[in-house]
Amino acid sequence: MLKKLLTLSLCCVMYSFAFAQSWTALTKEQEPVLTHTVNDTLSFPVFVVEDPSTKTLYYGTQLQTNVCNDQICLPIVVNLFWDLLGNYHHFSKEEDFHFTKFDHQYFDQKDYERLQGILIDSLSPLRDYDVEDLLDKDGKKYSLEIDAVTRPTSPLFSNVTVPGALYTVYTLWHIVNGPIKQELHALANQQYQKRQWQRYFAKSEVPVYQEYFLKHLEPTEVTKYKQEVINLLFAKDDFTPHYAIDVLEAEVLKDPNKYNPILKQLDRMKPHVITEIINSISAANEQTKSILTAFSTQEKASPKQKELIAKILNYEK
């Protein structure tokens, strides 16, 4: 049995989202789940929101704030979203609002995409520096909009910002990836059972939700959610099925009357999942042996799996 698995990282996961998704189009609870304060200067409420088009739940807020200290970019209005475990997910804006760069130039589509890629990277170098450290100490940029001079971003950090929008990127990154992540994760641990999110997590097709569901399943809940657990044996993620096997091993995989229906679907599973299931079952009956015999003749059956099946058929396991 696979007891220790690598932790699944979100850093490489990009989610599709609509940049122009309106805050008013979302279904929001009347009361916020928390109010978050940033550096004792900015506070904003966070709500559980639902996208009506997909029925997807998020923690979300509509934030209005200044992001510059040099008056060369305009205040920002942005909708920020985290998943239900507190990981930043995406941002959106109102259709008639535009993010601006140096000298009030509008973001283009590539700028928005670049911003999303930066914000979702929780390990960005932005976490380790003050914003002033990211500026070129020898360079100068002259504003045509106002009588002002500012310093450009240092070339060393050009890959972690949107050109001309360092303050916007830096401010938003520290908001979405700062202490609020821990607050929201702690909140999720409190709200998960209360809101009965078990089936939502299990059916979400989001690996971190599926893993959370399986790891937080109480022994008394296994029977209630048995079908959801079995369905996760076919999850697209490589690790999730192994967590499901861990849940099923104690009861389901020891009773052929319960696991034979699963064995009939071996050809739908990934090879490494098939191997672990065959290796985990016990007390095989005649139906079990018939199912495994039929599977062993299929092209999908690997030499290792055929070896395990032969041991079962020969009463060696």
Side-chain angles (χ1 to χ4, degrees), residues 151-163:
R151 286 188 286 145
T153 305
S154 169
L156 294 173
F157 299 102
S158 60
N159 64 326
V160 293
T161 188
V162 174

Side-chain angles (χ1 to χ4, degrees), residues 96-133:
D96 58 352
F97 183 83
H98 302 279
F99 288 16
T100 58
K101 301 182 285 187
F102 181 78
D103 261 358
H104 303 174
Q105 298 176 49
Y106 288 169
F107 273 42
D108 59 25
Q109 183 67 16
K110 289 185 177 180
D111 290 330
Y112 288 119
E113 293 172 0
R114 185 177 178 86
L115 176 59
Q116 168 65 4
I118 294 167
L119 295 182
I120 206 168
D121 180 9
S122 62
L123 299 179
S124 169
L126 293 176
R127 68 177 181 170
D128 299 320
Y129 293 90
D130 293 329
V131 67
E132 299 299 324
D133 295 331

Side-chain angles (χ1 to χ4, degrees), residues 247-267:
V247 172
L248 296 171
E249 188 178 31
E251 180 183 352
V252 175
L253 297 183
K254 304 305 180 188
D255 184 344
N257 293 320
K258 295 179 180 179
Y259 67 65
N260 281 340
I262 297 174
L263 297 184
K264 291 179 180 179
Q265 305 177 75
L266 286 177
D267 59 345

Side-chain angles (χ1 to χ4, degrees), residues 6 10 39 50 68 76 226 247:
L6 296 175
L10 274 179
N39 296 331
E50 181 184 69
C68 297
I76 195 170
K226 184 177 75 172
V247 172

Side-chain angles (χ1 to χ4, degrees), residues 70 72 101-103 105 136 138-144 146 148-153 162-166:
D70 54 15
I72 299 180
K101 301 182 285 187
F102 181 78
D103 261 358
Q105 298 176 49
D136 185 348
D138 299 320
K140 292 182 180 180
K141 291 178 71 174
Y142 296 87
S143 172
L144 300 178
I146 63 174
V149 178
T150 188
R151 286 188 286 145
T153 305
V162 174
L166 174 62

